[in-house]
Amino acid sequence: MQFFRFGFIPCYDNSVYFSLGLDLAKAKRMLKNFMIKTAHQSIEYKIIGLSDSRCKDQLFDMRVKNGDGANKGHSVAISVYDYFLQHYNIQLQYSAYMPCVDVGKPERPKYLPLELCTLIPDQCYTKALSLMQRASLAKKSRPNPQARVRTLIDAVGNQKDDPVLAEFHISIEKQLTQVEGRILETPKLKVGNNEDCIPCNGRWNFNSKKLYEPTRIERWVVVNFLTPRETFLFSQELINCGRDMGIVVYTTRLFLSTYIYQPFSYLMISLINAAY
């Protein structure tokens, strides 16, 4: 991937912001330990993090050589942007207002501009996947039967000119083997009034159904962290939902309102008293 695009936006101080709702700490965790290759030197490095400042403002100490060429002169502070402009004659176009890639060590960082870095392909990603990535992976891992058949037939068709198979006189039939199967009866659930609940599209729908052996709820408590009105509405909906399913929910309930300034022991004592 040429030139990392994270959606950074320029800012007027030394901090770095994201325009897509991402933060710098998240970008550091995502890029850490990935291998990159530089465009100006063709050298591979491992990413350890990102700089906290923009490329134009990120300073580091550069050794100034003596007149005899020795490297024992004094050090001067120079920005990453100016360093690449003076030593490599590279005027950065895109990453001047973006953070730098840190490929050094924790005690001695080494900064590289983003636009001079390329992610090395085919690297193993060992970090946790996001919710959207997991959903996409699960979707691709369970294709429909027709798509799976097409994939297998295409794979077999590509092997017809394989010299290894021809050497051992191995041939693969292009069509899948057909076997007889049977459809199992749909499982049923017994609900109230001795009715059968038959699933539709792989799901049981309990709307307008009562439980086969409903129970009784005599004592119950509502712990309120919001407003009393919301507590009353929630308890009333709970009672109505239980009655619709055949559960006898007694209306004698206890409302407990708790706030941050109330100790936890007060809540526990109220719950114990309500149980007896």
Side-chain angles (χ1 to χ4, degrees):
M1 184 177 70
Q2 187 76 26
F3 175 52
F4 306 110
R5 297 181 182 272
F6 290 112
F8 293 96
I9 56 175
C11 52
Y12 295 101
D13 56 3
N14 287 343
S15 59
V16 179
Y17 296 95
F18 284 81
S19 64
L20 299 179
L22 304 176
D23 53 44
L24 192 59
K26 185 176 181 179
K28 290 180 180 179
R29 292 193 302 268
M30 183 178 66
L31 292 174
K32 189 175 181 180
N33 296 328
F34 273 103
M35 297 297 296
I36 60 172
K37 187 175 182 179
T38 58
H40 63 293
Q41 291 179 326
S42 296
I43 300 178
E44 296 182 1
Y45 295 98
K46 178 184 287 188
I47 300 176
I48 68 168
L50 297 173
S51 63
D52 295 327
S53 300
R54 305 177 301 179
C55 185
K56 267 200 168 185
D57 302 316
Q58 183 62 55
L59 302 177
F60 68 95
D61 294 331
M62 181 185 66
R63 287 279 186 176
V64 179
K65 296 182 180 180
N66 293 332
D68 56 358
N71 221 1
K72 298 181 180 180
H74 61 284
S75 299
V76 295
I78 186 174
S79 67
V80 177
Y81 179 89
D82 294 334
Y83 175 81
F84 278 85
L85 181 62
Q86 297 176 14
H87 289 76
Y88 295 100
N89 197 25
I90 299 176
Q91 186 170 5
L92 302 176
Q93 300 294 326
Y94 309 105
S95 55
Y97 295 97
M98 298 182 182
C100 302
V101 178
D102 188 0
V103 296
K105 298 180 180 180
E107 65 277 2
R108 189 177 178 82
K110 182 176 182 179
Y111 299 113
L112 296 172
L114 282 171
E115 65 185 84
L116 299 181
C117 301
T118 304
L119 271 176
I120 297 176
D122 300 329
Q123 298 187 58
C124 181
Y125 187 80
T126 59
K127 300 177 178 62
L129 299 179
S130 64
L131 183 61
M132 184 177 299
Q133 289 172 330
R134 291 197 298 269
S136 178
L137 180 62
K139 183 179 179 180
K140 291 184 179 298
S141 63
R142 57 171 189 270
N144 59 65
Q146 292 77 12
R148 191 183 295 273
V149 168
R150 288 195 300 269
T151 301
L152 293 174
I153 293 177
D154 293 341
V156 172
N158 295 331
Q159 301 295 329
K160 62 181 180 179
D161 298 328
D162 193 319
V164 177
L165 296 180
E167 181 70 21
F168 289 93
H169 303 286
I170 297 176
S171 61
I172 302 177
E173 178 63 38
K174 295 182 180 180
Q175 299 300 325
L176 299 178
T177 302
Q178 296 185 2
V179 296
E180 293 185 1
R182 59 191 180 93
I183 300 177
L184 299 178
E185 184 181 357
T186 304
K188 302 176 183 179
L189 292 181
K190 279 290 184 181
V191 295
N193 300 325
N194 203 26
E195 296 179 359
D196 292 330
C197 183
I198 302 175
C200 180
N201 296 327
R203 298 180 179 180
W204 283 285
N205 187 357
F206 281 94
N207 292 335
S208 303
K209 302 290 184 182
K210 295 183 180 295
L211 297 179
Y212 185 73
E213 292 183 357
T215 185
R216 292 173 176 265
I217 301 178
E218 299 181 1
R219 295 183 180 182
W220 53 288
V221 176
V222 177
V223 181
N224 175 31
F225 294 93
L226 301 174
T227 64
R229 182 176 180 273
E230 293 176 342
T231 303
F232 176 79
L233 293 177
F234 171 77
S235 63
Q236 198 63 39
E237 288 293 332
L238 185 62
I239 293 174
N240 295 336
C241 181
R243 288 176 176 175
D244 292 341
M245 300 185 70
I247 302 175
V248 179
V249 182
Y250 285 73
T251 57
T252 55
R253 69 270 189 187
L254 174 66
F255 294 118
L256 293 180
S257 297
T258 178
Y259 302 96
I260 298 176
Y261 59 82
Q262 290 180 334
F264 183 74
S265 58
Y266 169 81
L267 177 61
M268 295 303 298
I269 293 174
S270 300
L271 290 174
I272 294 173
N273 291 336
Y276 296 98

